[in-house]
Amino acid sequence: MNHLAHFHLAWPEDDMLLGALEGDFFKGPIQTDTRLARGIQLHRAIDAYTDSHPQVSALKQAFPGKLRRYAGILIDLAFDHLLSRHWDRYHQHSLTQFSETIYQLLARDAESLSPDARRMADRIRQHDLLQAYHDFRAVAGSARRIGNRFRRGNPFDNIGTSLDPLHPQLEAAFLEFYPQLQQFAREYETSSTAQ
């Protein structure tokens, strides 16, 4: 899952939402008494659940051989696109309202984030990334930017031609998988607050 899904699944607590972003950057054991601990833990649990889910594993096999090792990245990005396209099924506020609430929180509480998470928060706000994924071309653009960080060349240079034919399969998998992920996140959060 990418940023939009992590924010959506952490909604509505501020600390959970901040932890949803910090989870991409925080490494090592989590001090459970820190403000963002529950959000980081939820982020990690969501990633582990997604990566090990049989439906996601099967979807990875649909990618062309040379892209299969990167399929997890591409699925995360595509699932944010699909969440934005089907947003009204999953949230009571419009995507615009939701995004503005997140952007305001990230600006107001930036000091609670690590430097790397703060830089990403600025980028998310400046480029309106939570709404940008509504356009499927944003998936390829984000993949290309991620690929620029790879040492052995960018495997995502012409990713659009590989992703476009997979769109129906990605959408069908997302629509079946995401409600299961929502249920998992609710149950995880309920069990973690009960401890």
Side-chain angles (χ1 to χ4, degrees):
M1 292 291 123
N2 205 37
H3 301 301
L4 180 60
H6 276 293
F7 286 133
H8 179 246
L9 294 165
W11 181 266
E13 281 184 56
D14 289 357
D15 290 352
M16 294 292 288
L17 292 163
L18 292 166
L21 177 60
E22 189 67 56
D24 272 334
F25 303 96
F26 190 93
K27 305 301 179 208
I30 304 165
Q31 298 294 323
T32 55
D33 59 344
T34 59
R35 177 179 176 197
L36 307 185
R38 283 177 42 235
I40 296 167
Q41 289 167 333
L42 177 62
H43 182 115
R44 289 180 178 180
I46 287 166
D47 283 353
Y49 178 85
T50 301
D51 291 344
S52 66
H53 196 280
Q55 200 162 18
V56 174
S57 296
L59 187 57
K60 288 177 182 177
Q61 297 308 308
F63 280 76
K66 63 186 173 97
L67 287 176
R68 205 163 288 150
R69 67 185 292 200
Y70 308 109
I73 295 168
L74 298 170
I75 290 169
D76 284 351
L77 296 172
F79 278 7
D80 257 21
H81 159 71
L82 292 160
L83 176 57
S84 75
R85 297 293 295 185
H86 296 284
W87 183 258
D88 293 344
R89 293 183 185 206
Y90 304 110
H91 205 277
Q92 69 272 24
H93 300 304
S94 72
L95 181 56
T96 300
Q97 291 171 310
F98 179 86
S99 300
E100 286 304 317
T101 301
I102 299 297
Y103 299 156
Q104 289 168 13
L105 170 67
L106 295 176
R108 187 189 73 218
D109 287 12
E111 292 304 313
S112 300
L113 298 169
S114 66
D116 287 341
R118 200 173 310 137
R119 279 190 289 279
M120 179 53 75
D122 289 343
R123 190 168 181 286
I124 289 169
R125 286 179 19 252
Q126 288 168 2
H127 298 284
D128 192 13
L129 290 184
L130 299 185
Q131 294 192 85
Y133 280 100
H134 199 71
D135 184 342
F136 192 54
R137 289 174 297 187
V139 174
S142 290
R144 279 192 299 275
R145 282 188 294 280
I146 291 168
N148 285 336
R149 294 182 240 155
F150 295 172
R151 291 188 188 135
R152 296 185 179 154
N154 190 339
F156 304 138
D157 272 338
N158 296 306
I159 195 64
T161 56
S162 297
L163 276 181
D164 288 346
L166 292 170
H167 192 276
Q169 209 168 344
L170 288 161
E171 185 168 32
F174 172 81
L175 292 171
E176 191 170 334
F177 169 72
Y178 198 70
Q180 297 174 52
L181 180 59
Q182 286 181 288
Q183 181 66 28
F184 168 80
R186 281 191 296 269
E187 290 172 2
Y188 181 88
E189 182 51 21
T190 300
S191 69
S192 69
T193 54
Q195 294 172 1

